[in-house]
C-alpha cells in the first residue's frame, strides 16, 4: 500500500532574480511563455501531474523570490522539499557564480535528512539568447565537481529541454522519496488522523 | 494520453471482429470503450489517492460515459408518461421494480427538491436539455468541464450510493422493456460488460471532504468561491462562540440578498429536522428522563399499532413526551450505509417542505400527505406520525390496562385524545408514569399521586374497578410485579399545576438554568447513566424500571410528605442556583480577563476614538476638495480630508493634488506658492542626486561592457581551441571572472600616476582632463587610500594590464574590445567637451583629450588590423554604441543630463554655469559623507572619485533595479519605455540616497502607482521616499513584517477563532507567511490599479482617522471575505497560498475595503466596551 500511495514531490526553484524561474515553471506546467511576468514576491507554486516509471506523481513546484535577502522567508517554503532546482542565466556569469551560495543556503534552511545526497538539478536558462557568457562546459564542470549534479541547458521561452529537465527532477526526487520511506516508519499513521478529521468535518457540514 | 490510447486499443482488440460490419456495433464499441477508459482512470485515481473526490473530473467523465451508453437506443415510448426522454426518467420508471433504483430515485428527488439555490442553478436545467446520446460519446474530457453538481445527477448519486452497477444490471436484464433491440444495453455482451465494468467504481469510496491527498488537483480558486456560493445553502452555519465578538458573516452572503434569504430558510429547515433527531438524545437543552423502544402507538389512519421509541424529556419549557416510529429511528441508526442516506433524504425533504408542523408537535400528518406526492411520501408519513406532546398541555392521563398490553392515552386541555401508547408488559408503563411524576416536580404533580407512602405495600393494581383510583405503589418486588401484571383496569390521572405563579416562577428558573449553564445541571450526571445506552448506536434504550432516571440528585425516597418534598427540592434548587451562578461568574471572570488581555493587545492597533463616517461615503470629490481649498490655495481642514478619504477615497481627478498631502509631503495649510517652492526645491534636489548616480552609472556601464567582453572573449576562445586553461577547476573559473571586474583598485595605485606614465602603460583613457589626475593625487595622498579608483575609462586600461599578468592568452583577445570601447567613449566625451568647452573655458582638457585620442586611434587601428579579433569586436561594439546613445552619462558626462531623458537639463545648466569648480558640488557631497569621496570635478564629471565598494554596490543595485523595472507592470499600457525609464530613475535615485539599504524587490511595485498618479518623476520620487519611511520596515531588513504577522495572529484569534483553529490545525500556518506580499506591497499585487489607489488612500488616511495599521485590517478583511471557502475546503498552507495567488486582482476591492473599515470599528467597539 505504501508504495502505491499518492506521491507528492515538492520541488523548489532557486536562483538569482531574473534568471527565469517563474518562466521555467510556467513553461513546464502551462506550456506557455509570457514576457509579462513580474518579479516574484513571496512565493507561489504550481502543481502538475507527471508519470514517472508508470507512477502518477504530483509535482508541486515552488517559485521563490530571487533576491537573496528574501530567503529568510525560505524556511517556511523549503520545508519538506524533495528536490531543489538551481537556475542561472547563461548570459549572466554572476548568476552562475551565485549557484554555490544558493545551494548552501538551501541546505541550511531546508536541512534535509541527507544533505550529501539531496537531489539538485542545475538549469542554465536562456540559451535562446545570443549573448551567451557562461559556457556549457564550464557549468558542466561545476556540476561534476558537486557530486555530479545533473545539468540542463534550457530555454523557457522556446521550451528547450524544459520537459526533460523536469522529468529528471521528478525522477531524482522520487528516488529520494522512496529511500526516505525506509526511514519514515509511520507515515500512514499521521495520514489516518488527517483523514478522520476530514471525514468528521464532512459529516458536520453536510446537510444534503 | 498514452494511457487512454492504450485502453482504446485494448478495448478494440477485445471486440468481436464481426461487429465491424455493423455501424451500430461500432458505435457501441466506442461507447463501451469510453466507459472503460473512464473506469480505468477513476480506479487509478482511487488507487493513487486512496479515495476519490465526489466532484473530481473523473467522476463526471465516467457519469457522462455511462449516460451515453444508457441513452443509446432508449425507447422513447417506454417513457411515454414522462415529459423528457432523459435517463433520469428511466430511473424513475424502473424504480417500481428495482429497489436500488427506488432508493436512488428518492435521493435524486430529494437532491433536486432540496436547496432552492441549487435547483435554480443546476437541476432545473437538466430536463430542459435532453441529451441526444450520440453527441455524448467519446466526449469525456469535455463533459468534465460542466458544473459538477448538476450534470448526471442520478448517475452520480447512484455511483456514490454504490447502486449504479445493480441498477444497470437490472436494466440489462429487463432491457427489452426499455430499449430498442439494437441498443447497447440490450446487447447480451455489451450490456453485461457495462454493468460489470461499473462494479469497480461502485466499490470505491467517494469523499466530499477536502482530503489532504487530493489537494493538488483541485479546482482553481475562483471555482472554489463559486462553488461555495452555490452550495452556501446546505452548509450548517459555523458556531460562534463568543457572542460579544460575534462576527458577521462573510461578504458573499450580504452581497447577494436573494440567495442569502433562501439560504436562511434552507438552514432553518434542515436544522430543525436535525434538531429533532438530536432532541431525542440527552443534550444541552433537554434532559432525557425516560426512553423506551418498541412502544407501540396507533397513529391515525393506520390499522395496526406501530412500534416506536418513546421518550420523556425535561426541557426549559417543561416536560415533553415524544414518540418516534421505528422506521425513522432504525433508518437513522441501524444500517448506516443505506439507511443513513435515507434519513438524510427525509431530513432534506422535511426541510424542503414548507410546512414544518410535523416537527412542531400536534402533528396533523395529513398536511404532509396532502402536500407531498411521490415516493418520498411514505417517509413523510412517518415523520407525521411521530408524536410530540408537551405535558403541560395534557390534562388527563388515561391508563388502560389489559392482559395484552398497557395503554396510555393523553388527553389535552381541549379534550382531544392522542393516539394510545401501548407499553409492552413488564412494568414499563409504571416506570414511565413514575418518571413522569418526578419530572413534574416540584411544581406539578399527578393527581392522584402515583407514589405515596413508599414501601407500604400498597399496589397500584389493588384499586381496580374504581373510576378514580387512589393508586399507590411499593417498590417493585417480584410478587407485586406479578400482581401488577395481572391486574387489568382503567385509571385516570390528572396533571396538576400547583399554581400559575409557581409555574411561571419555575419556568423562569428552568429557563435560567437552561440558558445559563445547561450542561452543568446537576440532573445530568445521574440522568446520563440511563441514557448512555441511548447514545450508543443501537438506539434501543431500555431503561431499568426504577433506576434513578429522573435524575433528581436527592432521590425521592428521603421525602415522606409532598410538602416536605417540595421544600427540600426548593433547597436543592437554591443550591443549584448558587452553583450555577458561581460557575457562571467564574466563567465570566475568565472571559473578562481574556478580554482585557485582548484589549491591551489590540488597543495599540486602533485609535480609541471612533470617527463617524457620516456623510463621507462619497469620499473626497473634486467639489469638496475645491470647497476645502481657500483663496491662497491652502487646505486647512485636515481632519475632514482624512475622514472623507478614509470613508470614501479620493476622486481620481484630484489624486495628483491630494496624494502629496496624504503622504505628508505637502503640509496642510500651506499655500500654493509655498508648495510650488517646495516642488522646485525638491526637483533641484532630485536632479542633483540623479546627476551623481548617473556618473556612477556610466562607470558601471563601462565595466559591464568590459566584463561581457571578457566573458565572450573567453567563450570564443574556448570555442576556438581547447586550451589547457579550460580544464581549470570551476572555482578558478569564478575567480577569473572576478578578476576582470574587481581587481582594479590595486592597479590604480596611489602612486603619482601622471599622464605620461599612464600612456607608457598604454592606458589611453584617463588623461582627458589632467585636472583629475591632480585631484586624484591630492586626494590619495591625503587619505592614503589605495582602494580609490579614478573612473571608468581608467578601468579599461587597468583591467587589461591586470589581466596581462594573469591570463596571458586572453589579454590579446580582450584588449582590442576594451580599447575600442574606451575609444568610442572618449570620442564622445571629447565631443561633449568640445561643445561645451566654449562656455566653460576648459580648453586645456580638450587639448589633452585630443592628444590621447590620437594615441588611441593609432593603437586601435593597429588592433583592428589583426583579423582574428575582428569578429569579437564586432559583437561588442554594437551594444556599446546603443548604450552610449541612450546613456546620459556618456553624453553629458558630467552634470548635464541629456534633455531627451528628463526635463532636468535646464536646471543642470544653471548649476554648471554657477561654478565649474569643485566648490559647487562639494556641499552636496558633504551631505552624504561616507558614500563617496568628496571630490568631484564638475568639468569632467567622469572624473568623480568614488570608492570601489561604492561603485560595486551601486552596480549591483543598478542591475537589480533594471531587471525589475523591465518586469514591472508591463501588462499596463502606461509603462512604456519612457515611463519605465522614469521609474528606473526614481528607483536609482532612491537607492543612491539609501545605498546602505539598497534596492529590494518590491520597491518598484511600490513606486509604480505613485508614478502613474503623479506622472512627474521628481514628485513621484518625493512621495516614494515618504512612503518608504513606513514601508522600509516591511522589507527584510526591518522588523515590521514579523509584527504584522503577530498582530494578524491575535486579531484572527479574537475576531474569528474558528478560522484561527483551522489555520492552526492544518499544518499551522498561523505564521501568516501567505500574507507576506500583501504587507510588503500594501496589496499592490492583490488588487487592480484602480483599487490599489483606493486601498492606499485608505491606508494613508487611516493613520489619522482610525488605525495606524490599516494593512492588518485589510488583510483580515481579505481573509474574512473568503473565510467560508477556506473553512469549507479546510485549506492548509499550500492551499491558501495557491488560493490567494490565484485570486490576485480578482477581489471585490470596495467590499473588502469596507469590510476592513467595519473590522476596525468592531475592534474599536470591543475596546471601548470595557
Amino acid at each position: 500500500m505504501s508504495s502505491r500511495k499518492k506521491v507528492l514531490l515538492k520541488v523548489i526553484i532557486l536562483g538569482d532574480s531574473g534568471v527565469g524561474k517563474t518562466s521555467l515553471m510556467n513553461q513546464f506546467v502551462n506550456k506557455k511563455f509570457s514576457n509579462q511576468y513580474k518579479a516574484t514576491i513571496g512565493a507561489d507554486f504550481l502543481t502538475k501531474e507527471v508519470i514517472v516509471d508508470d507512477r502518477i506523481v504530483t509535482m508541486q513546484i515552488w517559485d521563490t523570490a530571487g533576491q537573496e535577502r528574501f530567503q529568510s522567508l525560505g524556511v517556511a517554503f523549503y520545508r519538506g522539499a524533495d528536490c531543489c532546482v538551481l537556475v542561472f542565466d547563461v548570459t549572466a556569469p554572476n548568476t552562475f557564480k551565485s549557484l554555490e551560495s544558493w545551494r548552501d543556503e538551501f541546505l541550511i534552511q531546508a536541512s534535509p535528512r541527507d544533505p550529501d545526497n539531496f537531489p539538485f538539478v542545475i538549469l542554465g536558462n536562456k540559451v535562446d539568447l545570443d549573448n551567451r557568457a557562461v559556457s556549457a562546459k564550464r557549468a558542466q564542470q561545476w556540476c561534476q565537481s558537486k557530486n555530479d549534479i545533473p545539468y540542463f541547458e534550457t530555454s523557457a521561452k522556446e521550451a528547450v529541454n524544459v520537459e526533460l529537465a523536469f522529468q529528471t527532477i521528478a525522477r531524482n526526487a522520487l528516488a529520494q522519496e522512496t529511500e526516505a520511506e525506509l526511514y519514515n516508519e509511520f507515515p500512514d499513521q499521521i495520514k489516518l488522523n488527517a483523514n478522520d478529521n476530514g471525514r468528521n468535518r464532512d459529516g458536520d457540514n453536510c446537510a444534503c | 494520453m498514452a494511457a487512454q490510447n492504450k485502453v482504446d486499443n485494448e478495448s478494440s482488440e477485445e471486440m468481436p471482429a464481426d461487429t465491424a460490419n455493423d455501424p451500430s456495433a461500432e458505435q457501441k464499441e466506442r461507447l463501451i470503450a469510453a466507459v472503460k477508459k473512464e473506469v480505468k482512470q477513476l480506479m487509478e485515481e482511487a488507487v493513487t489517492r486512496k479515495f476519490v473526490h465526489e466532484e473530481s473530473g473523473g467522476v463526471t467523465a465516467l457519469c457522462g460515459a455511462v449516460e451515453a451508453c444508457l441513452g443509446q437506443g432508449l425507447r422513447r415510448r417506454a417513457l411515454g408518461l414522462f415529459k423528457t426522454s432523459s435517463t433520469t426518467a428511466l430511473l424513475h420508471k424502473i424504480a417500481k421494480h428495482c429497489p436500488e433504483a427506488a432508493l436512488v430515485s428518492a435521493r435524486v428527488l430529494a437532491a433536486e427538491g432540496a436547496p432552492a439555490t441549487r435547483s435554480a442553478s443546476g437541476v432545473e436545467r437538466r430536463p430542459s436539455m435532453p441529451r441526444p446520446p450520440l453527441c455524448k460519446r467519446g466526449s469525456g474530457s469535455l463533459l468534465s468541464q460542466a458544473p459538477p453538481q448538476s450534470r448526471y445527477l442520478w448517475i452520480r448519486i447512484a455511483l456514490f450510493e454504490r447502486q449504479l452497477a445493480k441498477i444497470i444490471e437490472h436494466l440489462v436484464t429487463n432491457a427489452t422493456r426499455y430499449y430498442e433491440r439494437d441498443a447497447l444495453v440490450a446487447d447480451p455482451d455489451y450490456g453485461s460488460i457495462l454493468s460489470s465494468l461499473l462494479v469497480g467504481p461502485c466499490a470505491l469510496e467517494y469523499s466530499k471532504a477536502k482530503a489532504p491527498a487530493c489537494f493538488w488537483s483541485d479546482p482553481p480558486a475562483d471555482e472554489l468561491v463559486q462553488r461555495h456560493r452555490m452550495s452556501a445553502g446546505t452548509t450548517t452555519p459555523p458556531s460562534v462562540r463568543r457572542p460579544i465578538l460575534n462576527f458577521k458573516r462573510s461578504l458573499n452572503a450580504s452581497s447577494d440578498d436573494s440567495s442569502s434569504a433562501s439560504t436562511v430558510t434552507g438552514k432553518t429547515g434542515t436544522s430543525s429536522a436535525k434538531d429533532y433527531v438530536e432532541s431525542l438524545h440527552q443534550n444541552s437543552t433537554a434532559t432525557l428522563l425516560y426512553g423506551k423502544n418498541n412502544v407501540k402507538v396507533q397513529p391515525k389512519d393506520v390499522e395496526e399499532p406501530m412500534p416506536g421509541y418513546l421518550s420523556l424529556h425535561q426541557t426549559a419549557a417543561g416536560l415533553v413526551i415524544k414518540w418516534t416510529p421505528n422506521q425513522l429511528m432504525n433508518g437513522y441508526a441501524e444500517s448506516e450505509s443505506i439507511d443513513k442516506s435515507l434519513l438524510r433524504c427525509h431530513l432534506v425533504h422535511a426541510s424542503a417542505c414548507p410546512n414544518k408542523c410535523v416537527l412542531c408537535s400536534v402533528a396533523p400528518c395529513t398536511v404532509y400527505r396532502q402536500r407531498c406526492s411521490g415516493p418520498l411520501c411514505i417517509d413523510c408519513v412517518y415523520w407525521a406520525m411521530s408524536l410530540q406532546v408537551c405535558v403541560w398541555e395534557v390534562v388527563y392521563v388515561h391508563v388502560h390496562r389489559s392482559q395484552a398490553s398497557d395503554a396510555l392515552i393523553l388527553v389535552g386541555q381541549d379534550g382531544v385524545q392522542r393516539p394510545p401508547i401501548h407499553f409492552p408488559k413488564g412494568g414499563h408503563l409504571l416506570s414511565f408514569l413514575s418518571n413522569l411524576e418526578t419530572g413534574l416536580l416540584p411544581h406539578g404533580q399527578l393527581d392522584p399521586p402515583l407514589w405515596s407512602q413508599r414501601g407500604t405495600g400498597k399496589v397500584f393494581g389493588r384499586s381496580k374497578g374504581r373510576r378514580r383510583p387512589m393508586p399507590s405503589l411499593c417498590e417493585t418486588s417480584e410478587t407485586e410485579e406479578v400482581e401488577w401484571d395481572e391486574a387489568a383496569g382503567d385509571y385516570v390521572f390528572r396533571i396538576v399545576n400547583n399554581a400559575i405563579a409557581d409555574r411561571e416562577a419555575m419556568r423562569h428558573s428552568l429557563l435560567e438554568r437552561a440558558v445559563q449553564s445547561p450542561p452543568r445541571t446537576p440532573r445530568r450526571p445521574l440522568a446520563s447513566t440511563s441514557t448512555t445506552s441511548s447514545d450508543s448506536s443501537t438506539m434501543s434504550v431500555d431503561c431499568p424500571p426504577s433506576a434513578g432516571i429522573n435524575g433528581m440528585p436527592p432521590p425521592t425516597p428521603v421525602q415522606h410528605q409532598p410538602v416536605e418534598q417540595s421544600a427540600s427540592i426548593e433547597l436543592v434548587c437554591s443550591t443549584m442556583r448558587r452553583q450555577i451562578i458561581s460557575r457562571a461568574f467564574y466563567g465570566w471572570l475568565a472571559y473578562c480577563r481574556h478580554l482585557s488581555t485582548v484589549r491591551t493587545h489590540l488597543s495599540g492597533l486602533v485609535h480609541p476614538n471612533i470617527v463617524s463616517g457620516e456623510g463621507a461615503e462619497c469620499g473626497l470629490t473634486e467639489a469638496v476638495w475645491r470647497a476645502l481649498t481657500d483663496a491662497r490655495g491652502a487646505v486647512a481642514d485636515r481632519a475632514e480630508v482624512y475622514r472623507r478619504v478614509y470613508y470614501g477615497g479620493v476622486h481620481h481627478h484630484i489624486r495628483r493634488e491630494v496624494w502629496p498631502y496624504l503622504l505628508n509631503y505637502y503640509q496642510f495649510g500651506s499655500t500654493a506658492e509655498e508648495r510650488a517652492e517646495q516642488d522646485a526645491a525638491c526637483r533641484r534636489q532630485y536632479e542633483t542626486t540623479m546627476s551623481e548616480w548617473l556618473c556612477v552609472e556610466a562607470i558601471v556601464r563601462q565595466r559591464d561592457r568590459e566584463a561581457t567582453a571578457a566573458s565572450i572573449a573567453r567563450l570564443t576562445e574556448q570555442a576556438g581551441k581547447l586550451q589547457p586553461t579550460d580544464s581549470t577547476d570551476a572555482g578558478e573559473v569564478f575567480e577569473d571572472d572576478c578578476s576582470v571586474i574587481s581587481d582594479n583598485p590595486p592597479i590604480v595605485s596611489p602612486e603619482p600616476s601622471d599622464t605620461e606614465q599612464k600612456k607608457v602603460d598604454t592606458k589611453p583613457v584617463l588623461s582627458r582632463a589632467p585636472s583629475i589626475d591632480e585631484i586624484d593625487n591630492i586626494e590619495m595622498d591625503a587619505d592614503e587610500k589605495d582602494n580609490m579608483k579614478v573612473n571608468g575609462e581608467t578601468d579599461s586600461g587597468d583591467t587589461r594590464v591586470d589581466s596581462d599578468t594573469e591570463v596571458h592568452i586572453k589579454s590579446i583577445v580582450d584588449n582590442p574590445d576594451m580599447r575600442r570601447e574606451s575609444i568610442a567613449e572618449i570620442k564622445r566625451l571629447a565631443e561633449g567637451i568640445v561643445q561645451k568647452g566654449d562656455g566653460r573655458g576648459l580648453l586645456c582638457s580638450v587639448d589633452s583629450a585630443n592628444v590621447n585620442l590620437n594615441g588611441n586611434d593609432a593603437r586601435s587601428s593597429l588592433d583592428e588590423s589583426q583579423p582574428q579579433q575582428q569578429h569579437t569586436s564586432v559583437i561588442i561594439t554594437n551594444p556599446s554604441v546603443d548604450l552610449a546613445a541612450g546613456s546620459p552619462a556618456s553624453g553629458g558626462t558630467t552634470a548635464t543630463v541629456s534633455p531627451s531623458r528628463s526635463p532636468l537639463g535646464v536646471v543642470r545648466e544653471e548649476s554648471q554655469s554657477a561654478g565649474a569648480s569643485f566648490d559647487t558640488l562639494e556641499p552636496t557631497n558633504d551631505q552624504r559623507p561616507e558614500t563617496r569621496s568628496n571630490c568631484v570635478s564638475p568639468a569632467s564629471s567622469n572624473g568623480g572619485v568614488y570608492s570601489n565598494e561604492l561603485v560595486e554596490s551601486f552596480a549591483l543595485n543598478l542591475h537589480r533595479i533594471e531587471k525589475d523595472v523591465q518586469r514591472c507592470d508591463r501588462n499596463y499600457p502606461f509603462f512604456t519605455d519612457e515611463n519605465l525609464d522614469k521609474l528606473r530613475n526614481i528607483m536609482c535615485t532612491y537607492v543612491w540616497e539609501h545605498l546602505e539599504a539598497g534596492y529590494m524587490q518590491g520597491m518598484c511595485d511600490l513606486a509604480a502607482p505613485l508614478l502613474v498618479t503623479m506622472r512627474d518623476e521628481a514628485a513621484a520620487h518625493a512621495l516614494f521616499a515618504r512612503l518608504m519611511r513606513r514601508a522600509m520596515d516591511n522589507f527584510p531588513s526591518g522588523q515590521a513584517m514579523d509584527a504584522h504577522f503577530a498582530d494578524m495572529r491575535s486579531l484572527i484569534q479574537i475576531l474569528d477563532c474558528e478560522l484561527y483553529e483551522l489555520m492552526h490545525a492544518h499544518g499551522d500556518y498561523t505564521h501568516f507567511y501567505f500574507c507576506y506580499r500583501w504587507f510588503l506591497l500594501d496589496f499592490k499585487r492583490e488588487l487592480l490599479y484602480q483599487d490599489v489607489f483606493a486601498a492606499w488612500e485608505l491606508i494613508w488616511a487611516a493613520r489619522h482617522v482610525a488605525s495606524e495599521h490599516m494593512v492588518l485590517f485589510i488583510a483580515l478583511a481579505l481573509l474574512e471575505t473568503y473565510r467560508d471557502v477556506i473553512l469549507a475546503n479546510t485549506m492548509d498552507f499550500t492551499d491558501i497560498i495557491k488560493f490567494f495567488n490565484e485570486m490576485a486582482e480578482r477581489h471585490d476591492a470596495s467590499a473588502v475595503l469596507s469590510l476592513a473599515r467595519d473590522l476596525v470599528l468592531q475592534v474599536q467597539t470591543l475596546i471601548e466596551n470595557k
Side-chain angles (χ1 to χ4, degrees), chain B residues 724-735:
Chain B
T725 29
D726 289 345
S727 63
T728 46
D729 202 30
E732 281 185 34
V733 172
F734 288 164
E735 294 308 311

Side-chain angles (χ1 to χ4, degrees), chain B residues 36 99 277 394 427 465 532 577 614 750 782 807 845 863 924 972-973 1118:
Chain B
K36 266 189 190 171
V277 177
V394 174
T532 38
R577 202 169 298 153
E614 199 87 350
V807 193
S845 69
D863 287 338
T924 337
Y972 283 91
L1118 270 180

Side-chain angles (χ1 to χ4, degrees), chain B residues 887-995:
Chain B
S887 159
S890 48
T893 336
T894 44
T896 313
V897 181
S898 70
S900 67
R901 216 166 166 54
S902 76
L904 308 174
V906 189
V907 189
R908 225 26 247 165
E909 281 300 326
E910 176 192 312
S911 72
Q912 279 166 5
S913 57
S917 67
F918 317 106
D919 303 346
T920 17
L921 283 180
E922 257 169 313
T924 337
N925 291 334
D926 286 343
Q927 286 172 357
R928 297 170 197 84
E930 334 142 327
T931 49
R932 73 213 65 165
S933 72
N934 59 354
C935 192
V936 176
S937 160
S940 57
S941 69
N942 268 9
V945 179
Y946 299 108
S947 77
N948 197 37
E949 287 99 41
L950 178 92
V951 175
E952 276 183 1
S953 145
F954 186 73
L956 194 66
N957 283 302
L958 187 70
H959 293 142
R960 283 180 177 157
I961 288 169
E962 280 176 344
K963 255 180 196 160
D964 280 5
V965 164
Q966 278 167 18
R967 296 190 279 174
C968 182
D969 292 324
R970 47 189 162 181
N971 46 341
Y972 283 91
F974 173 84
F975 289 96
T976 57
D977 283 348
E978 183 194 355
N979 283 325
L980 282 179
D981 249 5
K982 284 188 188 176
L983 187 60
R984 190 193 77 110
N985 291 345
I986 295 171
M987 284 292 99
C988 289
T989 311
Y990 180 82
V991 168
W992 182 251
E993 286 164 339
H994 302 84
L995 206 53

Side-chain angles (χ1 to χ4, degrees), chain B residues 642 656-668 670 674-683 1014 1016 1018-1027 1029:
Chain B
Y642 285 139
R656 200 172 305 177
E657 293 173 60
V658 181
W659 278 25
Y661 288 98
L662 294 179
L663 277 166
N664 222 6
Y665 172 61
Y666 290 158
Q667 297 302 309
F668 278 100
S670 60
E674 282 166 354
R675 292 200 300 271
E677 266 173 45
Q678 190 182 354
D679 280 344
C682 161
R683 178 176 298 264
M1014 302 307 291
D1016 176 61
H1021 169 261
L1023 295 197
F1024 178 69
R1026 294 291 190 295
L1027 178 71
R1029 283 184 193 169

